[in-house]
Amino acid sequence: MQTFRIAAIPADGVGREVVAAGREVLDALAASSDFAFDWTEFDWGCEHYHRTGRMMAEDGLDRLKEFDAIYFGAVGWPSVPDHISLWGLRLAVCQGFDQWANVRPVRFLPGVTSPLRKAAEVPLDWVVVRENSEGEYAGLGGRNLAARGPGSEVAIQSSLFTEAGCERIIRYAFELAASRERKHVTSVTKSNAQQFGMVLWDDVFRRVAAEYPHIESDSCLVDAMAARFVLRPEDLSVVVASNLHADILSDLGSALAGSLGLAASANYNPERRFPSMFEPVHGSAPDIAGQGVANPIGAIGSAALMLGHLGLPAEAARVDRAIEATTAAGVLPRDLGGTASTQEITLAVIDSLG
């Protein structure tokens, strides 16, 4: 029997509830299979920060690098500034393990009402590929001149675009498109206003696209792309964008599908030098934490992405089908207009595994 060593980091708020739900589904799947999961849970997050002054253990990356994958919940709590909680844990893992490809599928599930009228008319299925290591989230800059007095401080936040970083994520998007039924890549840019970094992005995109003549491609300004998500989503298959642009657009896509609670994601180190990390993108939701009503579908979908990464595509498909069967049967959480609890949805997915 093959055993996969998984590091679980529930972290904060509803992250604890949805990670527990995902683990329950994965263990149920493994119970009828020839593989198993060996879980190690880490209590890092905002409570850890209050106890120790750190969001994760000082040797956290050294401890995590021995695992096959990382299953992450959500980070953030009102008592800790967001830039501390994010950079102290999630981004520390993503950047420390060079998880440079963030993949966020946009899934329109049966039984879920989309605010997008076209969702009932045409099949919609696209994926956002996000550059996850540099761009607008490189963390370069600083705050200075506060000593001059109130109103005089200056903050500088610099974006970083490297030719190597642009090329690897754009090439990843084309390779992903080659595996999809509709072979099309759309690049998101803002080179009309960001005349250095995004012009480099555009140049690399054109060069890489020329190596994939069998894959259609086009480029779209980010503001026009936001409108395109709403007005012409049927045009989309693989959307590749910088760190900030893809972060925003992928949330828009999930909202169009019905809720951020549906949004699964994977932070890949494609070379597999380090473990990859899988997480829902809905955040820690302090307002409903501990009430048992959090939507676990994004976390369960992230578990399916993890299964695919571990070399279990058939099992990943089983989980995805079980999610679809659950929503089609009307077992929906509050954010999708239903009344089902986290546990009720989890059990419904398990019952639908077949």
Side-chain angles (χ1 to χ4, degrees), residues 93-100 133 168 268-269 273-274:
V93 175
C94 287
Q95 294 201 352
F97 286 160
D98 198 21
Q99 294 169 348
W100 52 265
S133 66
R168 66 183 182 178
Y268 292 117
N269 174 245
R273 294 182 296 116
F274 302 105

Side-chain angles (χ1 to χ4, degrees), residues 5 13 42 84 89 95 107 136 160-161 172 174 176 200 227 235 243 250 260 287 299-300 341 349-350:
R5 296 188 62 213
F42 295 90
I84 291 177
L89 183 51
Q95 294 201 352
R107 296 185 65 195
E136 303 87 350
L160 173 69
F161 290 87
Y172 185 97
F174 275 92
L176 179 59
L200 173 62
D235 291 352
N243 216 327
S250 59
L260 285 183
D287 57 322
I300 297 170
S341 68
V349 172
I350 292 172

Side-chain angles (χ1 to χ4, degrees), residues 78-153:
S79 58
V80 179
D82 287 342
H83 66 280
I84 291 177
S85 59
L86 187 63
W87 280 95
L89 183 51
R90 184 193 173 277
L91 287 180
V93 175
C94 287
Q95 294 201 352
F97 286 160
D98 198 21
Q99 294 169 348
W100 52 265
N102 178 239
V103 175
R104 296 184 175 185
V106 178
R107 296 185 65 195
F108 288 77
L109 294 173
V112 176
T113 302
S114 166
L116 195 64
R117 284 183 297 178
K118 275 191 176 179
E121 303 169 2
V122 294
L124 300 175
D125 174 27
W126 73 90
V127 60
V128 177
V129 175
R130 170 187 175 189
E131 200 293 312
N132 207 36
S133 66
E134 48 183 55
E136 303 87 350
Y137 294 177
L140 303 178
R143 294 174 61 174
N144 304 96
L145 307 182
R148 292 185 177 181
S152 298
E153 189 173 8

Side-chain angles (χ1 to χ4, degrees), residues 300-317:
I300 297 170
S302 300
L305 292 173
M306 183 167 68
L307 289 168
H309 179 71
L310 294 173
L312 301 169
E315 288 75 11

Side-chain angles (χ1 to χ4, degrees), residues 6-42:
I6 310 296
I9 308 177
D12 302 315
V14 299
R16 302 180 185 185
E17 299 163 65
V18 299
V19 163
R23 287 181 58 173
E24 196 172 341
V25 171
L26 288 174
D27 286 338
L29 182 71
S32 60
S33 305
D34 58 353
F35 61 88
F37 296 102
D38 179 10
W39 298 95
T40 300
E41 186 166 307
F42 295 90

